Amino acid sequence: MARVEQESGRSALYRDELSMPVASLGPANPLPPLKGLMEVPVDLTGSDLPRRIREGAAYGALKTSMPYLIRDAYGRDRAPGTIPAVVLENDVLRATFVPSLGGRLWSLRHRPTGRDLLFSNSVFQPVNFGVCNAWFAGGVEWNVGTHGHSPATCAPLHSAAVTGPDGSPVLRMWEFDRLHGTIFSFSAWLPPGSPVLFVHGRILNPGDETAPTYCWANAAVPETDRVRIVTPASRAYWTSLERTLDSVPFPARDGVDYSYPARAAFSTENYCEVPEERPWAAALDESGIGLAQASTPALRGRKTFAWGNTVGCRHWQSWLTGDGQDRYCEFQSGLTTTQYEHVAVEPKDACSWTEAYGLLQVDPELVHGDWPTAVAAVERRLDTLVTATALDEAHRAMETITAREPHEFFTRGSGWGALERRRADAASVVWPEITGTPFGDDTLGDEQAPWLALLETGELPASDVADAPLSYVTGDDWRARLSRAPRSWLTEYLLGALAHARHDLATAERYYLRSIGLESSAWALRALALVRQAEGDEAGAVQVIRQACELAPRSLPLAIEGASMMLAADDLPGCLRLLDNLDDALLENPRLRLIRAIAAKTLGDDTSDAAVLAGEFTLPTMRSSEILLERLWFLTFPDRPLPDRYNFRWNPLATDQAMLENIYGKATVAGDAAH
């Protein structure tokens, strides 16, 4: 592809593309995520946790990714493809970004040595790890919004060129965060001759009320047996196998030095307590060379992540990287001590920070010596790469260009920022100046169209009850506008979804019943089934979800949800009847094939599971905590160990029998084994 460059001295910013095997992301799931998919997986009530962590975890916590929809239509069939990229380079570094995939820094190559400082994945393969399901491994990702991999991970950001403080080019990427109503931006700057890439992060609250926010930068680096992650900490908060957050010594405990990720027996994360005035981390190999990252004090948190060495954990790495040969680990940086906390941004104010990434080389004997010696040696060398003063100066310089208008666009993000700007105008909310992160009306599209009509006319356009709504919103102002709109099945349903998202189940149920009373829709019935399920009425939930599936027999997401609900409620005959009435094309879906095999096998059919287990069956949307494959295996082969190809366990302590008994209960497992 021809280079489109903007040069100043020896810095350049231009378009490029990445060629690799690509798995199709597929369309968004039209069913809003109303099931509480974002439960924090750790007990944070322990009295030994500092008050700031407990309070930060309670503040701003969300249970759902609404109004975002999830992305779960991807598979594992990869074909040769290209991904649009933007390159920022000088004589020392070449930074490749993919603004179309959440603004990920895909690679950071040290030009004099030809060394890539990051783990740059050789494939694009979504997996079910993100807040909105789809996520991919590698590079540096900036997660904004709430705990987990950002809703924007697999979505395009707005990106454009901006003139930097010294006249050299800056790549700016930005978007509107729909979870908390903030505007986030990341501006990458690589001055001529600079040995470090500067990334300026900024989260602006344009509203009239204080807003919670969150950001963690996750850097993936190649892992070998001798890669050591060094950061100035002597204690950390560790997520234990019992899912508690405990204060522990760092890096060594129980005979294991966790600064070497390859030594972790199982998947391990350590939230390190580092000095607030100079937070940094580095991943250095056996020769003392690798990636270093430092930041201004606002980005105070540091975390190490290791996949571990169990069969299941290694399988996950293979699942993520495509060929099973690549190993990686991560160090991460955030606005808080742990990833369970949020921080407050005052109205019309912003929180901001600046990071620096570059190659660091330290005497390997010092790097791999005792911990205090390693920390001191790395910090001394870090000061020759980028001092705290230099970082502060870069931060102040980048702050001066936050309002500088972009002059060439590379990618366009969503139209939600433009819609929210229009809504703020209609609500007489004056946004601060956002010329540096514009949201033009030309970005408004089909997803925003009904809400724009509601703003301008006071009512939603007519919609066929057979068609699932394209999009959803949240917030008091939208709720008030919907409440004033003429009544229809759609307005009542959307009001129910708004109540459901804030966990007001009684109100949600009333709206859903009103919607169904005006005109029965699969979408309101499905949502009502989720309310009944949340209230513990499994029989009622199954009855209603069956009606929903009957109204939309060609909806694959609805069929998956209905069959899953029936399987969970042990309505196995009903589950099989539902599946038997689906089009054959839908039944090719791996999750439906697996559910069908489990239901049939439990009822005594010894043939349906054979086709699933005979080959290398894959479930592309498998989540780390799911055991559907294991359930079918042990139903079919109760006395045989789980094959490696079906082992995705993170917990090395669970035995086959003990794990199933813990999940299903001893009586159920005994009954399963009897088959």
Side-chain angles (χ1 to χ4, degrees):
M1 176 178 284
R3 287 164 54 125
V4 180
E5 299 189 7
Q6 299 164 48
E7 297 192 6
S8 175
R10 298 186 65 84
S11 290
L13 177 65
Y14 57 91
R15 301 175 189 271
D16 202 354
E17 62 182 22
L18 302 171
S19 298
M20 67 185 68
V22 173
S24 173
L25 187 58
N29 186 326
L31 305 179
L34 296 167
K35 291 187 65 174
L37 300 178
M38 292 167 54
E39 296 286 346
V40 173
V42 176
D43 180 8
L44 299 172
T45 61
S47 58
D48 59 333
L49 289 178
R51 181 178 177 180
R52 59 179 169 79
I53 292 180
R54 286 185 281 113
E55 290 181 349
Y59 174 65
L62 298 171
K63 299 292 187 181
T64 172
S65 62
M66 277 278 283
Y68 291 98
L69 299 178
I70 66 171
R71 306 298 296 266
D72 61 354
Y74 52 85
R76 293 194 62 82
D77 293 328
R78 295 184 290 269
T82 58
I83 299 173
V86 178
V87 172
L88 178 63
E89 68 178 0
N90 65 7
D91 287 345
V92 183
L93 295 172
R94 185 177 194 265
T96 302
F97 294 85
V98 282
S100 61
L101 291 171
R104 189 81 61 103
L105 174 57
W106 191 276
S107 69
L108 183 63
R109 185 167 295 276
H110 186 252
R111 298 183 69 185
T113 63
R115 180 184 185 120
D116 197 335
L117 302 179
L118 298 172
F119 166 69
S120 300
N121 210 336
S122 59
V123 301
F124 173 70
Q125 176 59 65
V127 296
N128 187 2
F129 277 6
V131 167
C132 293
N133 191 311
W135 174 82
F136 62 99
V140 179
E141 61 171 328
W142 286 272
N143 294 305
V144 176
T146 195
H147 168 65
H149 297 287
S150 166
T153 290
C154 289
L157 302 185
H158 302 279
S159 68
V162 176
T163 301
D166 60 350
S168 64
V170 164
L171 170 64
R172 179 170 295 156
M173 302 176 289
W174 70 95
E175 189 48 284
F176 183 78
D177 171 31
R178 303 181 69 203
L179 294 177
H180 295 302
T182 60
I183 298 168
F184 64 88
S185 64
F186 297 98
S187 300
W189 181 36
L190 192 52
S194 174
V196 294
L197 170 72
F198 294 107
V199 179
H200 179 72
R202 190 169 188 264
I203 302 175
L204 170 69
N205 174 12
D208 286 342
E209 297 181 1
T210 301
T213 195
Y214 169 103
C215 185
W216 276 75
N218 295 3
V221 295
E223 179 190 281
T224 68
D225 291 344
R226 292 286 287 166
V227 164
R228 191 177 204 185
I229 296 178
V230 183
T231 192
S234 59
R235 295 197 67 81
Y237 294 98
W238 173 60
T239 306
S240 71
L241 290 175
E242 290 75 29
R243 310 312 295 171
T244 59
L245 194 64
D246 302 328
S247 177
V248 296
F250 185 83
R253 61 180 180 275
D254 301 326
V256 178
D257 186 338
Y258 285 98
S259 65
Y260 292 93
R263 298 182 185 179
F266 50 87
S267 180
T268 305
E269 53 188 10
N270 294 280
Y271 295 100
C272 301
E273 289 274 27
V274 300
E276 292 185 22
E277 63 274 9
R278 178 65 160 153
W280 58 266
L284 307 175
D285 65 11
E286 63 278 0
S287 59
I289 301 175
L291 176 71
Q293 183 259 21
S295 69
T296 50
L299 203 70
R300 56 172 293 175
R302 290 298 183 275
K303 170 188 166 183
T304 67
F305 172 76
W307 272 105
N309 288 290
T310 66
V311 171
C313 290
R314 285 298 180 208
H315 196 179
W316 271 115
Q317 290 220 55
S318 170
W319 193 254
L320 289 161
T321 60
D323 59 12
Q325 302 302 311
D326 295 326
R327 292 166 51 188
Y328 76 93
C329 55
E330 296 182 358
F331 66 78
Q332 306 173 6
S333 312
L335 294 175
T336 51
T337 302
T338 74
Q339 290 174 340
Y340 309 114
E341 306 161 70
H342 293 75
V343 296
V345 184
E346 297 302 317
K348 319 300 184 191
D349 199 2
C351 69
S352 63
W353 64 95
T354 297
E355 307 167 59
Y357 294 86
L359 179 142
L360 193 68
Q361 183 168 8
V362 186
D363 183 339
E365 291 189 7
L366 300 178
V367 169
H368 298 287
D370 66 82
W371 183 246
T373 297
V375 170
V378 174
E379 189 153 34
R380 283 194 302 272
R381 288 294 298 165
L382 182 64
D383 282 339
T384 69
L385 180 70
V386 58
T387 64
T389 300
L391 257 174
D392 288 339
E393 290 173 351
H395 179 72
R396 288 194 296 270
M398 292 298 282
E399 286 281 281
T400 67
I401 66 164
T402 57
R404 190 166 293 177
E405 191 172 353
H407 53 79
E408 180 178 351
F409 280 81
F410 298 114
T411 55
R412 296 284 187 174
S414 76
W416 293 110
L419 180 71
E420 283 301 304
R421 176 178 51 77
R422 296 280 290 270
R423 187 199 62 79
D425 289 344
S428 299
V429 175
V430 179
W431 274 18
E433 183 59 61
I434 59 166
T435 54
T437 53
F439 298 106
D441 284 350
D442 59 342
T443 63
L444 292 166
D446 292 343
E447 292 181 347
Q448 293 80 39
W451 306 105
L452 185 60
L454 180 63
L455 277 179
E456 294 178 340
T457 69
E459 59 183 273
L460 291 172
S463 179
D464 190 330
V465 73
D467 297 331
L470 287 178
S471 59
Y472 295 81
V473 294
T474 54
D476 292 341
D477 188 43
W478 286 117
R479 182 168 70 247
R481 292 177 188 278
L482 276 175
S483 297
R484 295 193 296 267
R487 289 185 64 200
S488 69
W489 76 268
L490 182 58
T491 56
E492 301 301 298
Y493 164 63
L494 292 171
L495 283 165
L498 277 163
H500 204 154
R502 64 180 187 271
H503 298 276
D504 184 351
L505 298 183
T507 300
E509 183 171 11
R510 287 197 300 272
Y511 279 122
Y512 293 148
L513 290 172
R514 289 179 191 173
S515 176
I516 295 164
L518 290 170
E519 196 168 358
S520 188
S521 73
W523 328 116
L525 284 165
R526 172 260 182 181
L528 179 62
L530 295 182
V531 170
R532 299 274 165 83
Q533 185 183 49
E535 293 173 340
D537 181 7
E538 287 193 338
V542 165
Q543 181 181 2
V544 178
I545 199 70
R546 183 180 296 113
Q547 298 173 39
C549 293
E550 290 171 355
L551 283 180
R554 293 182 177 84
S555 171
L556 177 59
L558 188 57
I560 291 173
E561 199 161 280
S564 299
M565 190 178 293
M566 292 177 185
L567 183 68
D570 286 329
D571 182 4
L572 304 184
C575 179
L576 292 176
R577 284 195 298 271
L578 169 66
L579 295 173
D580 287 341
N581 290 328
L582 295 178
D583 291 342
D584 290 343
L586 296 187
L587 289 175
E588 290 302 310
N589 176 267
R591 188 170 290 273
L592 289 181
R593 286 183 63 200
L594 186 56
I595 291 172
R596 185 175 195 165
I598 291 171
K601 178 65 180 177
T602 305
L603 292 175
D605 182 345
D606 292 327
T607 60
S608 62
D609 60 297
V612 173
L613 296 178
E616 294 286 332
F617 178 81
T618 58
L619 181 61
T621 56
M622 174 178 287
R623 198 163 178 86
S624 60
S625 57
E626 279 195 293
I627 49 86
L628 280 179
L629 269 172
E630 299 200 18
R631 181 175 178 181
L632 179 60
W633 179 266
F634 288 117
L635 280 170
T636 308
F637 306 111
D639 299 322
R640 290 169 56 180
L642 186 72
D644 289 353
R645 67 180 182 272
Y646 296 141
N647 189 336
F648 288 90
R649 297 181 194 167
W650 291 42
N651 185 344
L653 302 183
T655 63
D656 297 340
Q657 185 76 7
M659 182 203 66
L660 290 176
E661 288 179 357
N662 182 54
I663 294 172
Y664 295 115
K666 291 185 178 181
T668 303
V669 174
D672 286 346
H675 285 290

